[in-house]
Amino acid sequence: MLKKSFLSDIRNMLSTARQKAYAAINSTMVEAYWLIGKRVVEEEQNGKEKADYGTFLIKELAKHLTEEFGKGFDERELRRMRQFFLTFPIRDALRPELSWTHYRILLRVESPTARDYYVTEVAAQSWSTRQLERNINTLYYERLLSTQNKRAALIDEQDMEKISSSDIIKNPYVLEFLGMQWPTGYSESEIESAIINNLQSFLLELGKGFSFVGRQYRIKTDTKVFYIDLVFYNYILKCFVLIDLKINELTHQDIGQMDMYVRMFEDLKKTEGDNPTIGIILCAEKDHTIVKYSILEENKQLFASKYRLVLPTEEELRAELEREKQLIHEQITRKE
């Protein structure tokens, strides 16, 4: 009878070999599609009538390639390869971590800055194609830009010391992966349980550097016991992050409660070397008058962000982000 350790070793060897083979094939095909796109562009540029010749060229090429190599080389795919070269013109800048499907999805991103951000994050965070598509559809990058500090949406881990808490807090947070319809009268504990059941997706939505610490985290003083909904630690900021869930509109009481939690955590739980604790109130609605005339206006460690339980349309998200942008501009103007 085979030893379990021996069988496990052989399985690991085969699994590793398959992963390496897949990665090599993927990298080779991505490069081939880039070269095809480059060659198509070069041929088009030598045509006397560029527009007419380009249409004829791709149509005829698709016909011949499909006959010889089968599916995957129709006109639409060849146009995609052409666009691939035009969008990523530097061959050495192609990332081996990204599959052709990753690049196909990235071609839909119009902003070069946003596209560069997604390329970097896919490579660094090993996003699947499904995760990438979801983040693009929910304007992940743009929501980072809607935070209070606009200078560092693209986080470079080599510049961690330059990152502030507001650089990683998004507004709004999109939690459609919880599978909860709105409005349906869910309780805060039900949303909290759904987050725990979908913790990996929630960590992805929170952003880079988050790790889960605890649910209903207990803090005890001399006379009272308090429970914080969710506690995380961010290794980039080197600090604890407290999250309080609210199913209704943000109130002064919510802000005061989170301020108390942060102060208590600082006094009773923070260890030497940790940076100041961050508190995030996740609320269904946020009245900006409440924000304006509360300690949120000046406190750099307290944040109030909306959450959406259903996937909003791109137009709805952009409108909400534009409102946030205008409000932040007004805040900056008042301070100046």
Side-chain angles (χ1 to χ4, degrees):
M1 186 174 180
L2 294 177
K3 293 181 180 178
K4 289 185 178 180
S5 59
F6 172 72
L7 181 58
S8 177
D9 288 344
I10 300 300
R11 283 174 173 166
N12 289 336
M13 291 174 188
L14 288 172
S15 178
T16 300
R18 285 179 176 177
Q19 290 173 4
K20 288 182 177 179
Y22 175 79
I25 293 170
N26 171 71
S27 180
T28 300
M29 294 310 298
V30 167
E31 183 178 11
Y33 296 152
W34 185 89
L35 289 170
I36 291 171
K38 179 175 184 289
R39 187 67 183 87
V40 167
V41 170
E42 290 173 344
E43 186 69 16
E44 284 179 339
Q45 290 176 347
N46 289 328
K48 294 180 180 180
E49 298 292 335
K50 292 184 180 179
D52 293 340
Y53 182 61
T55 301
F56 167 79
L57 178 71
I58 289 181
K59 184 175 182 179
E60 286 299 303
L61 182 60
K63 178 181 177 181
H64 286 283
L65 292 180
T66 300
E67 289 176 355
E68 186 170 352
F69 295 98
K71 296 180 180 180
F73 296 96
D74 58 17
E75 291 181 50
R76 178 182 296 181
E77 197 68 4
L78 289 176
R79 289 194 184 93
R80 196 172 277 128
M81 293 176 194
R82 178 184 181 277
Q83 184 187 359
F84 180 40
F85 166 72
L86 293 173
T87 305
F88 298 92
I90 303 175
R91 181 177 175 181
D92 291 342
L94 298 179
R95 304 294 293 264
E97 300 91 344
L98 276 64
S99 68
W100 173 236
T101 306
H102 281 114
Y103 278 114
R104 286 178 59 182
I105 295 170
L106 286 164
L107 292 177
R108 304 202 308 259
V109 181
E110 295 183 3
S111 165
T113 306
R115 193 166 53 241
D116 289 345
Y117 170 81
Y118 289 124
V119 167
T120 301
E121 290 302 290
V122 169
Q125 305 299 317
S126 300
W127 286 356
S128 67
T129 54
R130 183 178 179 181
Q131 288 170 330
L132 172 62
E133 187 161 31
R134 183 263 176 190
N135 287 343
I136 291 173
N137 290 340
T138 60
L139 303 182
Y140 190 98
Y141 172 79
E142 288 81 356
R143 285 185 289 129
L144 273 181
L145 286 181
S146 76
T147 55
Q148 293 182 10
N149 188 343
K150 300 298 185 296
R151 69 173 173 77
L154 183 57
I155 297 174
D156 186 342
E157 298 210 21
Q158 295 180 351
D159 295 326
M160 289 182 185
E161 69 278 1
K162 300 178 183 178
I163 299 170
S164 69
S165 55
S166 58
D167 291 327
I168 67 169
I169 308 301
K170 294 197 291 291
N171 187 49
Y173 286 89
V174 181
L175 310 181
E176 92 291 346
F177 52 82
L178 299 182
M180 308 177 86
Q181 299 300 314
W182 183 268
T184 54
Y186 289 112
S187 67
E188 290 164 2
S189 62
E190 287 174 321
I191 296 176
E192 181 184 310
S193 295
I195 287 174
I196 296 301
N197 292 335
N198 296 272
L199 188 56
Q200 184 176 358
S201 296
F202 187 68
L203 287 170
L204 177 67
E205 174 64 7
L206 283 179
K208 185 179 293 185
F210 283 90
S211 59
F212 179 62
V213 175
R215 171 190 184 186
Q216 290 298 306
Y217 194 93
R218 184 173 182 267
I219 294 185
K220 185 178 182 301
T221 67
D222 293 337
T223 59
K224 298 283 186 180
V225 176
F226 299 90
Y227 296 91
I228 303 172
D229 290 344
L230 299 166
V231 176
F232 297 84
Y233 191 86
N234 188 282
Y235 72 84
I236 297 176
L237 296 174
K238 294 183 174 58
C239 72
F240 287 97
V241 179
L242 317 182
I243 292 181
D244 201 18
L245 291 167
K246 299 298 176 184
I247 59 173
N248 298 313
E249 187 176 73
L250 179 70
T251 67
H252 283 292
Q253 290 81 2
D254 298 331
I255 298 169
Q257 177 178 270
M258 177 53 79
D259 182 46
M260 180 186 69
Y261 285 164
V262 168
R263 292 173 187 271
M264 291 171 60
F265 212 92
E266 290 277 289
D267 184 45
L268 301 174
K269 297 294 183 179
K270 191 178 78 170
T271 60
E272 185 177 354
D274 289 334
N275 287 321
T277 302
I278 295 173
I280 305 174
I281 308 167
L282 282 185
C283 48
E285 294 295 336
K286 184 171 67 171
D287 186 330
H288 290 282
T289 300
I290 299 293
V291 174
K292 179 180 177 180
Y293 295 107
S294 71
I295 58 175
L296 288 175
E297 179 77 2
E298 301 296 336
N299 194 316
K300 296 182 179 180
Q301 301 308 121
L302 292 182
F303 300 88
S305 294
K306 289 177 62 175
Y307 64 84
R308 302 288 295 269
L309 289 178
V310 296
L311 188 64
T313 65
E314 183 173 328
E315 291 73 19
E316 289 173 331
L317 269 177
R318 289 196 182 279
E320 189 158 347
L321 295 180
E322 190 59 35
R323 286 194 296 270
E324 285 292 321
K325 181 180 177 181
Q326 182 61 36
L327 288 165
I328 292 166
H329 175 72
E330 292 174 1
Q331 291 174 3
I332 294 172
T333 302
R334 288 198 303 271
K335 291 177 181 179
E336 292 177 348

